Amino acid sequence: MVSWMISRAVVLVFGMLYPAYYSYKAVKTKNVKEYVRWMMYWIVFALYTVIETVADQTVAWFPLYYELKIAFVIWLLSPYTKGASLIYRKFLHPLLSSKEREIDDYIVQAKERGYETMVNFGRQGLNLAATAAVTAAVKDFWLTSAPLLQSI
């Protein structure tokens, strides 16, 4: 439990806050070299976050798992090891370049399906609300009119 809390704190501070601040500085100073460095870092860190989410649920029992996470985040950030740059240049860039068209097509399809799905949900929601309103109005009419009809 203590290892989890320490690794979470390290990942939040050194994996997110520190790089976020230096990304801000790179954008502010318009330093292209630093900007590219931090963009590579964020791409690698996004992949790390996806893998971490699955790994936390499946292999967290592994001895030294949280300590390895801490070491990995520090390795990614270190200007000496340039871990994020290494992973990006050796693995992610070639992979993304080879699959870029397929990924773009998938994103376009997902957007189109997402829009259609939202329209259908909206339509179903409006139909449900209209049915509920009519049902409530009819029920209210019969509840308030029944005593009047009986008295006639």
Side-chain angles (χ1 to χ4, degrees):
M1 183 67 167
V2 172
S3 294
W4 175 83
M5 291 185 331
I6 292 170
S7 89
R8 199 75 216 133
V10 168
V11 168
L12 288 173
V13 171
F14 294 105
M16 292 184 185
L17 293 177
Y18 176 85
Y21 181 71
Y22 277 93
S23 297
Y24 155 78
K25 299 274 283 186
V27 170
K28 182 180 174 189
T29 62
K30 298 179 181 147
N31 183 335
V32 175
K33 185 177 178 184
E34 284 298 301
Y35 187 80
V36 169
R37 173 187 177 212
W38 290 112
M39 286 302 295
M40 286 190 290
Y41 172 81
W42 286 115
I43 293 167
V44 172
F45 192 79
L47 178 64
Y48 162 79
T49 302
V50 170
I51 293 170
E52 175 194 36
T53 302
V54 174
D56 280 353
Q57 302 301 316
T58 57
V59 294
W61 54 267
F62 188 77
L64 301 175
Y65 170 73
Y66 295 107
E67 290 79 0
L68 289 171
K69 281 174 55 172
I70 291 169
F72 182 72
V73 168
I74 292 171
W75 178 77
L76 284 179
L77 279 172
S78 173
Y80 301 108
T81 61
K82 298 181 181 175
S85 178
L86 178 74
I87 290 174
Y88 178 82
R89 291 177 196 275
K90 295 286 184 185
F91 302 106
L92 287 179
H93 182 74
L95 177 66
L96 291 173
S97 293
S98 69
K99 302 288 185 185
E100 189 170 0
R101 181 172 297 281
E102 295 167 38
I103 294 168
D104 289 342
D105 291 343
Y106 180 78
I107 290 171
V108 167
Q109 289 175 2
K111 283 181 181 178
E112 289 170 358
R113 285 188 201 135
Y115 177 75
E116 291 169 13
T117 302
M118 292 308 293
V119 168
N120 287 335
F121 277 139
R123 189 174 299 130
Q124 289 174 357
L126 288 173
N127 286 337
L128 183 63
T131 303
V134 169
T135 303
V138 168
K139 191 182 264 186
D140 185 53
F141 171 76
W142 283 109
L143 289 175
T144 56
S145 299
L148 294 173
L149 292 174
Q150 288 177 350
S151 64
I152 298 181

